[in-house]
Amino acid sequence: MAFSNEQLERYARHIILKEIGVKGQKKLLNGSVLIIGAGGLGAPAAMYLAAAGVGTIGIVDADVVDLSNLQRQIIHAMKDIDKPKVISAKETMEEMNPDVKVNAIQAFVSSENILELIEPYDFIIDGTDNFPAKFLINDACVMAKKPFSHAGIIRFKGQLMTYVPGQGPCYRCVFHEPPPKNAVPTCKEAGVVGAMGGVIGSLQAMEAIKYLTGVGDLLAGRLMTYDAIKMEFRTIKLPHDTSTCPVCGENPTITELIDYEQAACELK
Amino acid sequence: MADYIVDETVDITDVVCPITFVKVKVALEELDVGQILRIRMNDGEPVQNVPRSCKEEGQQVLKLLCNGDGTYDLIVKKLED
């Protein structure tokens, strides 16, 4: 595959980088990422990956665009209100970069469809806003041996970690099981600064780019937290006890996917 | 007589920074380690930046030849893939 002059110009700042270069840009163009959730995290992640020239981007979300989304979900605009989020996201990405093929999937992820959804992709981004989906994505990625980036944001705080099969703990190793219903407020109840999705979603896009190009160290075996009030990032090394995790451990007790119940307030 | 044999030539006089070095990188990509690339470039910014960028990438700059027409030929040996 030879680059066109337009591609050389579009990706010049990647190609100049010693770590990426011509080879790395080809890896991005041949790479694929599935983004689950076209919201606060998924929006910036999707836009940066489309701009970077990730060749195939899947985006999954069941919702339509609402005015209250526009405070942080920068892939959507006023003209997109009431449009399915995945269609709005696809249109924005394709306007940004015609090199990118976008697969828009308007659906909730569940134990029924998640394995089929993640199967064609090299890397998965969890941009969801609820614990049932986060545990489902983790368990499915562990079972299917897919690397993924977990993230969560609320108020002025965010966190992320990356799971790479065989290279450290999974999300369930660290957080075991969803908190009791209503024990943790959702962003809808608690609020979130819009730019938080930009910070953490962009870090997820960075992890995907690094995974696809093979550059640098991923957040595998580490949890990064960001506190915008204190303006502090922390990176916490995570223990990895392969004997005890019920999904990625040596003797897993969770061998089928679980659809945890959503808190009532999260369902429209 | 030149003490090297040019394997490939790339002309970057038709583009400006940063596409100059992008074209050089694409040309280097096509070569095997040990092969030699001649880069025809304009005076000014390319002459200042491209040799340095080649060195930073781990390639060996052999010569910079003035062509007397406002262009230069940079002779680079590919050392790193």
Side-chain angles (χ1 to χ4, degrees):
Chain A
M1 180 187 68
F3 288 119
S4 67
N5 286 339
E6 192 182 296
Q7 284 178 315
L8 290 181
E9 194 170 341
R10 178 185 288 277
Y11 304 118
R13 277 156 186 76
H14 275 167
I15 294 171
I16 290 168
L17 293 171
K18 189 176 192 314
E19 293 82 355
I20 296 184
V22 175
K23 287 199 184 81
Q25 188 59 50
K26 283 182 182 169
K27 286 179 188 169
L28 292 176
L29 286 162
N30 291 326
S32 59
V33 177
L34 180 71
I35 300 165
I36 305 177
L41 293 165
M47 291 170 82
Y48 274 116
L49 293 179
V54 172
T56 307
I57 299 175
I59 189 148
V60 191
D61 200 306
D63 282 342
V64 297
V65 179
D66 186 84
L67 180 59
S68 66
N69 299 150
L70 301 186
Q71 165 256 14
R72 65 200 176 284
Q73 300 176 17
I74 56 170
I75 203 165
H76 314 299
M78 287 295 285
K79 66 174 169 53
D80 302 315
I81 287 171
D82 295 329
K83 199 184 276 182
K85 282 187 179 178
V86 292
I87 300 298
S88 164
K90 178 182 165 79
E91 287 171 359
T92 304
M93 284 189 270
E94 288 178 345
E95 277 170 25
M96 292 172 74
N97 188 350
D99 287 346
V100 180
K101 181 183 186 298
V102 180
N103 299 321
I105 303 132
Q106 192 182 4
F108 284 110
V109 287
S110 72
S111 63
E112 296 292 311
N113 64 9
I114 189 159
L115 289 171
E116 199 182 328
L117 286 171
I118 66 176
E119 199 279 325
Y121 294 90
D122 298 325
F123 191 86
I124 316 298
I125 287 183
D126 171 7
T128 64
D129 61 354
N130 65 86
F131 290 105
K134 292 193 180 305
F135 280 89
L136 180 69
I137 291 165
N138 178 73
D139 295 357
C141 286
V142 170
M143 289 175 192
K145 295 188 167 59
K146 291 279 183 187
F148 79 99
S149 165
H150 150 83
I153 53 173
I154 194 164
R155 301 190 181 110
F156 285 83
K157 289 184 177 177
Q159 67 175 37
L160 75 157
M161 64 176 276
T162 302
Y163 168 75
V164 181
Q167 292 182 32
C170 74
Y171 178 66
R172 201 181 271 281
C173 290
V174 186
F175 297 102
H176 309 297
E177 58 184 14
K181 266 187 280 177
N182 301 323
V184 178
T186 64
C187 279
K188 200 190 288 182
E189 298 156 337
V192 65
V193 181
M196 184 56 72
V199 173
I200 305 295
S202 301
L203 290 173
Q204 290 186 284
M206 187 65 88
E207 287 288 269
I209 287 166
K210 284 163 54 199
Y211 178 81
L212 292 176
T213 55
V215 171
D217 300 319
L218 295 165
L219 268 179
R222 294 182 292 158
L223 177 76
M224 177 173 277
T225 65
Y226 172 49
D227 181 333
I229 297 273
K230 293 183 186 162
M231 209 53 191
E232 277 179 4
F233 279 97
R234 287 180 67 204
T235 308
I236 300 140
K237 201 164 166 27
L238 300 170
H240 187 210
D241 184 353
T242 52
S243 62
T244 56
C245 178
V247 63
C248 78
E250 281 159 13
N251 300 299
T253 52
I254 297 172
T255 54
E256 283 183 13
L257 295 170
I258 307 163
D259 290 307
Y260 290 104
E261 217 179 304
Q262 290 260 48
C265 68
E266 292 171 9
L267 295 169
K268 279 188 192 164
Chain B
M1 201 178 115
D3 48 1
Y4 53 84
I5 297 163
V6 173
D7 293 289
E8 197 58 68
T9 298
V10 62
D11 187 337
I12 60 168
T13 58
D14 57 341
V15 287
V16 295
C17 180
I19 307 299
T20 43
F21 190 56
V22 169
K23 278 187 84 169
V24 171
K25 284 193 75 163
V26 171
L28 281 167
E29 180 90 351
E30 302 292 318
L31 297 185
D32 297 324
V33 170
Q35 287 192 300
I36 288 173
L37 181 70
R38 171 168 54 203
I39 307 155
R40 188 165 168 263
M41 63 183 69
N42 288 322
D43 198 359
E45 202 175 45
V47 174
Q48 285 169 20
N49 293 335
V50 173
R52 184 180 56 204
S53 298
C54 286
K55 283 182 205 162
E56 281 172 4
E57 290 264 328
Q59 317 303 349
Q60 187 182 358
V61 172
L62 298 179
K63 270 196 171 79
L64 182 65
L65 308 165
C66 181
N67 294 328
D69 61 353
T71 70
Y72 287 79
D73 276 355
L74 181 71
I75 311 298
V76 175
K77 186 174 183 180
K78 179 166 172 174
L79 297 184
E80 276 192 31
D81 221 351

